[in-house]
Protein backbone atom coordinates (compact mmCIF):
# COMPACT_ATOMS: atom_id res chain seq x y z
CA UNK A 1 0.00 0.00 0.00
CA UNK A 2 2.63 2.50 1.00
CA UNK A 3 6.23 3.08 1.96
CA UNK A 4 7.40 5.70 4.42
CA UNK A 5 11.09 6.59 4.54
CA UNK A 6 12.65 8.85 7.18
CA UNK A 7 16.34 9.43 7.71
CA UNK A 8 17.26 6.49 5.50
CA UNK A 9 20.11 7.21 3.07
CA UNK A 10 19.24 10.28 0.96
CA UNK A 11 15.83 10.78 2.65
CA UNK A 12 16.53 13.51 5.18
CA UNK A 13 12.87 14.32 5.65
CA UNK A 14 10.01 11.89 5.88
CA UNK A 15 8.84 10.79 2.43
CA UNK A 16 5.65 8.85 1.83
CA UNK A 17 4.99 6.86 -1.30
CA UNK A 18 1.44 5.64 -1.85
CA UNK A 19 0.95 2.75 -4.25
CA UNK A 20 -2.62 3.09 -5.47
CA UNK A 21 -2.18 1.19 -8.72
CA UNK A 22 -0.62 -2.21 -9.33
CA UNK A 23 2.29 -0.77 -11.25
CA UNK A 24 4.22 2.28 -10.10
CA UNK A 25 7.23 3.92 -11.68
CA UNK A 26 9.72 6.13 -9.95
CA UNK A 27 11.70 8.44 -12.19
CA UNK A 28 14.44 10.94 -11.51
CA UNK A 29 17.88 12.05 -12.62
CA UNK A 30 21.01 10.02 -11.91
CA UNK A 31 21.87 9.92 -8.26
CA UNK A 32 18.52 11.29 -7.09
CA UNK A 33 17.82 8.29 -4.87
CA UNK A 34 15.79 5.83 -6.97
CA UNK A 35 17.91 2.86 -5.93
CA UNK A 36 17.69 4.05 -2.33
CA UNK A 37 13.93 3.46 -2.58
CA UNK A 38 14.49 -0.14 -3.66
CA UNK A 39 16.97 -0.52 -0.83
CA UNK A 40 14.44 0.89 1.63
CA UNK A 41 12.13 -1.98 0.65
CA UNK A 42 14.84 -4.49 1.23
CA UNK A 43 15.85 -2.86 4.51
CA UNK A 44 12.37 -3.00 6.02
CA UNK A 45 12.03 -6.63 4.92
CA UNK A 46 14.93 -7.45 7.24
CA UNK A 47 17.96 -7.35 4.93
CA UNK A 48 21.06 -8.05 7.05
CA UNK A 49 23.70 -7.39 4.41
CA UNK A 50 24.72 -3.73 4.62
CA UNK A 51 26.87 -4.30 1.56
CA UNK A 52 23.85 -5.19 -0.53
CA UNK A 53 22.48 -1.76 0.39
CA UNK A 54 25.74 -0.18 -0.76
CA UNK A 55 27.07 0.63 2.70
CA UNK A 56 30.03 -0.50 4.75
CA UNK A 57 28.56 0.05 8.19
CA UNK A 58 25.04 0.46 9.54
CA UNK A 59 25.72 4.18 9.90
CA UNK A 60 26.07 4.52 6.13
CA UNK A 61 22.33 3.85 5.89
CA UNK A 62 21.46 6.86 8.03
CA UNK A 63 21.08 10.35 6.49
CA UNK A 64 24.51 11.87 6.79
CA UNK A 65 23.57 15.54 6.73
CA UNK A 66 24.00 18.35 4.23
CA UNK A 67 24.28 22.13 4.32
CA UNK A 68 20.54 22.43 4.66
CA UNK A 69 19.59 19.46 6.85
CA UNK A 70 21.56 18.17 9.85
CA UNK A 71 22.47 14.50 9.97
CA UNK A 72 19.93 12.12 11.45
CA UNK A 73 20.42 9.84 14.42
CA UNK A 74 18.08 7.18 13.20
CA UNK A 75 16.67 5.81 10.00
CA UNK A 76 13.25 4.27 9.76
CA UNK A 77 11.31 2.64 6.97
CA UNK A 78 7.68 1.64 7.25
CA UNK A 79 5.96 -0.63 4.76
CA UNK A 80 2.20 -1.22 4.75
CA UNK A 81 0.58 -4.20 3.09
CA UNK A 82 -3.05 -4.67 2.13
CA UNK A 83 -3.95 -7.73 4.19
CA UNK A 84 -7.69 -7.73 3.51
CA UNK A 85 -9.47 -10.85 2.40
CA UNK A 86 -11.83 -9.25 -0.12
CA UNK A 87 -13.48 -11.21 -2.92
CA UNK A 88 -12.72 -14.56 -1.29
CA UNK A 89 -9.02 -13.92 -1.57
CA UNK A 90 -7.17 -15.25 1.49
CA UNK A 91 -5.21 -12.84 3.62
CA UNK A 92 -1.61 -12.33 2.53
CA UNK A 93 -0.41 -12.79 6.12
CA UNK A 94 -1.96 -14.98 8.74
CA UNK A 95 -2.77 -12.00 10.96
CA UNK A 96 -6.21 -10.68 11.81
CA UNK A 97 -5.66 -7.15 10.50
CA UNK A 98 -6.68 -5.66 7.15
CA UNK A 99 -3.48 -3.65 7.03
CA UNK A 100 -0.15 -5.04 8.13
CA UNK A 101 2.58 -2.49 8.77
CA UNK A 102 6.19 -3.45 9.20
CA UNK A 103 8.71 -0.96 10.50
CA UNK A 104 12.44 -1.16 11.00
CA UNK A 105 14.42 1.47 12.84
CA UNK A 106 18.19 1.68 13.15
CA UNK A 107 20.30 3.93 15.32
CA UNK A 108 23.87 5.17 14.98
CA UNK A 109 25.00 2.62 17.58
CA UNK A 110 23.91 -0.08 15.06
CA UNK A 111 20.92 -1.31 17.08
CA UNK A 112 17.90 -2.39 15.05
CA UNK A 113 14.25 -2.47 16.08
CA UNK A 114 11.40 -4.13 14.27
CA UNK A 115 7.75 -3.30 14.76
CA UNK A 116 4.71 -5.15 13.50
CA UNK A 117 1.58 -2.96 13.57
CA UNK A 118 3.38 -0.84 16.13
CA UNK A 119 4.42 -3.65 18.49
CA UNK A 120 8.04 -4.66 18.90
CA UNK A 121 8.83 -8.06 17.35
CA UNK A 122 11.96 -10.08 16.68
CA UNK A 123 13.60 -10.21 13.28
CA UNK A 124 12.93 -13.94 13.34
CA UNK A 125 9.16 -13.33 13.61
CA UNK A 126 9.25 -10.99 10.62
CA UNK A 127 11.30 -13.35 8.50
CA UNK A 128 8.98 -16.21 9.33
CA UNK A 129 5.87 -14.20 8.52
CA UNK A 130 7.34 -12.95 5.24
CA UNK A 131 8.61 -16.32 4.12
CA UNK A 132 5.16 -17.86 4.70
CA UNK A 133 3.82 -15.23 2.30
CA UNK A 134 6.70 -15.95 -0.11
CA UNK A 135 8.23 -12.52 0.33
CA UNK A 136 11.93 -12.12 0.92
CA UNK A 137 14.50 -9.38 1.15
CA UNK A 138 16.65 -11.01 -1.50
CA UNK A 139 15.86 -13.45 -4.30
CA UNK A 140 13.58 -12.65 -7.15
CA UNK A 141 11.27 -10.12 -5.54
CA UNK A 142 13.66 -7.25 -5.73
CA UNK A 143 15.86 -7.18 -8.77
CA UNK A 144 18.47 -4.51 -8.32
CA UNK A 145 20.64 -2.82 -10.88
CA UNK A 146 22.81 -5.42 -12.61
CA UNK A 147 21.01 -8.29 -10.94
CA UNK A 148 18.98 -9.55 -13.88
CA UNK A 149 22.36 -10.41 -15.24
CA UNK A 150 23.37 -12.07 -11.99
CA UNK A 151 20.48 -14.56 -12.12
CA UNK A 152 21.91 -15.82 -15.40
CA UNK A 153 25.53 -15.78 -14.40
CA UNK A 154 25.52 -17.19 -10.83
CA UNK A 155 26.65 -20.71 -10.06
CA UNK A 156 24.05 -23.50 -9.79
CA UNK A 157 24.13 -23.46 -5.97
CA UNK A 158 23.25 -19.74 -5.78
CA UNK A 159 20.62 -20.12 -8.47
CA UNK A 160 19.09 -22.99 -6.50
CA UNK A 161 18.82 -20.73 -3.48
CA UNK A 162 17.08 -18.00 -5.55
CA UNK A 163 14.57 -20.51 -6.90
CA UNK A 164 13.97 -21.95 -3.45
CA UNK A 165 13.17 -18.55 -2.07
CA UNK A 166 10.78 -17.88 -4.94
CA UNK A 167 9.05 -21.18 -4.21
CA UNK A 168 8.59 -20.31 -0.56
CA UNK A 169 10.96 -22.97 0.78
CA UNK A 170 12.86 -20.50 2.96
CA UNK A 171 10.43 -21.07 5.84
CA UNK A 172 11.49 -24.72 6.03
CA UNK A 173 15.13 -23.72 6.05
CA UNK A 174 14.48 -21.37 8.98
CA UNK A 175 12.56 -24.06 10.83
CA UNK A 176 15.30 -26.59 10.24
CA UNK A 177 18.01 -24.21 11.46
CA UNK A 178 15.90 -23.35 14.48
CA UNK A 179 15.33 -27.03 15.33
CA UNK A 180 19.01 -27.83 14.95
CA UNK A 181 19.87 -24.96 17.29
CA UNK A 182 17.39 -26.23 19.87
CA UNK A 183 18.73 -29.78 19.60
CA UNK A 184 22.25 -28.50 20.10
CA UNK A 185 21.17 -26.53 23.17
CA UNK A 186 19.40 -29.56 24.63
P1 LIG B 1 21.27 6.17 -10.68
O1 LIG B 1 20.17 6.56 -11.59
O2 LIG B 1 22.59 6.80 -11.00
O3 LIG B 1 21.36 4.70 -10.39
P2 LIG B 1 19.70 6.67 -8.31
O4 LIG B 1 18.62 7.66 -8.61
O5 LIG B 1 19.34 5.25 -8.20
O6 LIG B 1 20.93 6.88 -9.26
P3 LIG B 1 20.80 6.37 -5.71
O7 LIG B 1 21.99 5.57 -6.08
O8 LIG B 1 19.65 5.68 -5.07
O9 LIG B 1 20.32 7.19 -6.95
O10 LIG B 1 21.17 7.55 -4.72
C1 LIG B 1 22.46 7.91 -4.47
C2 LIG B 1 22.45 9.18 -3.67
O11 LIG B 1 22.11 8.90 -2.31
C3 LIG B 1 23.80 9.82 -3.68
O12 LIG B 1 23.67 11.19 -3.98
C4 LIG B 1 24.31 9.64 -2.27
O13 LIG B 1 25.11 10.69 -1.85
C5 LIG B 1 23.01 9.61 -1.48
N1 LIG B 1 23.17 8.91 -0.19
C6 LIG B 1 23.37 7.58 0.01
N2 LIG B 1 23.52 7.33 1.33
C7 LIG B 1 23.39 8.51 1.97
C8 LIG B 1 23.44 8.92 3.35
N3 LIG B 1 23.65 8.05 4.34
N4 LIG B 1 23.24 10.23 3.63
C9 LIG B 1 23.04 11.12 2.64
N5 LIG B 1 22.98 10.80 1.34
C10 LIG B 1 23.15 9.53 1.00
Amino acid sequence: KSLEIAGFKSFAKKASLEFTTSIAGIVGPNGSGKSNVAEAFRFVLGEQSIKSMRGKRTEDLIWNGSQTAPRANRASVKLSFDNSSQHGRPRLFDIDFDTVTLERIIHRDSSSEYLLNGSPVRLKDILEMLSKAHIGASGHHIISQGEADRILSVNPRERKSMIEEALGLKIYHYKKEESLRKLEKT
Side-chain angles (χ1 to χ4, degrees):
K1 274 180 148 175
S2 63
L3 182 74
E4 197 181 285
I5 313 175
F8 180 81
K9 300 200 94 181
S10 53
F11 292 87
K13 282 192 237 126
K14 195 195 283 179
S16 285
L17 309 178
E18 306 283 333
F19 304 108
T20 50
T21 50
S22 52
I23 296 178
I26 296 172
V27 293
N30 285 351
S32 63
K34 303 181 297 292
S35 302
N36 292 342
V37 174
E39 281 157 15
F41 268 106
R42 204 186 280 129
F43 171 80
V44 69
L45 295 177
E47 178 60 84
Q48 296 301 296
S49 158
I50 306 289
K51 204 174 130 217
S52 82
M53 295 178 284
R54 297 177 299 166
K56 287 200 187 77
R57 293 162 294 143
T58 308
E59 274 204 298
D60 296 335
L61 302 181
I62 303 176
W63 164 251
N64 203 25
S66 69
Q67 278 171 341
T68 50
R71 66 183 211 153
N73 283 321
R74 55 176 245 161
S76 68
V77 177
K78 218 191 243 184
L79 181 60
S80 293
F81 292 93
D82 178 3
N83 196 42
S84 59
S85 59
Q86 291 160 9
H87 316 298
R89 192 173 47 131
R91 287 188 191 278
L92 177 63
F93 302 113
D94 195 12
I95 298 176
D96 235 0
F97 284 99
D98 281 349
T99 299
V100 167
T101 303
L102 279 182
E103 183 174 10
R104 179 175 179 188
I105 305 159
I106 48 164
H107 302 270
R108 287 213 177 261
D109 64 5
S110 296
S111 56
S112 240
E113 292 167 61
Y114 297 89
L115 305 175
L116 177 60
N117 284 356
S119 304
V121 287
R122 296 167 303 178
L123 169 63
K124 179 176 160 282
D125 302 319
I126 293 204
L127 294 180
E128 201 168 306
M129 182 187 92
L130 291 171
S131 55
K132 273 190 202 154
H134 301 190
I135 298 171
S138 56
H140 79 303
H141 292 97
I142 297 168
I143 300 171
S144 308
Q145 230 167 81
E147 245 185 71
D149 204 42
R150 203 167 73 84
I151 295 173
L152 298 174
S153 63
V154 288
N155 63 37
R157 186 207 283 261
E158 280 179 67
R159 193 174 303 123
K160 177 169 174 265
S161 144
M162 287 175 174
I163 293 170
E164 282 173 350
E165 182 176 311
L167 289 171
L169 301 183
K170 267 268 155 72
I171 179 75
Y172 301 108
H173 290 168
Y174 288 130
K175 287 199 167 155
K176 184 179 163 192
E177 275 169 33
E178 182 80 4
S179 305
L180 286 173
R181 247 200 309 275
K182 280 188 187 155
L183 271 175
E184 189 96 1
K185 224 169 150 186
T186 310

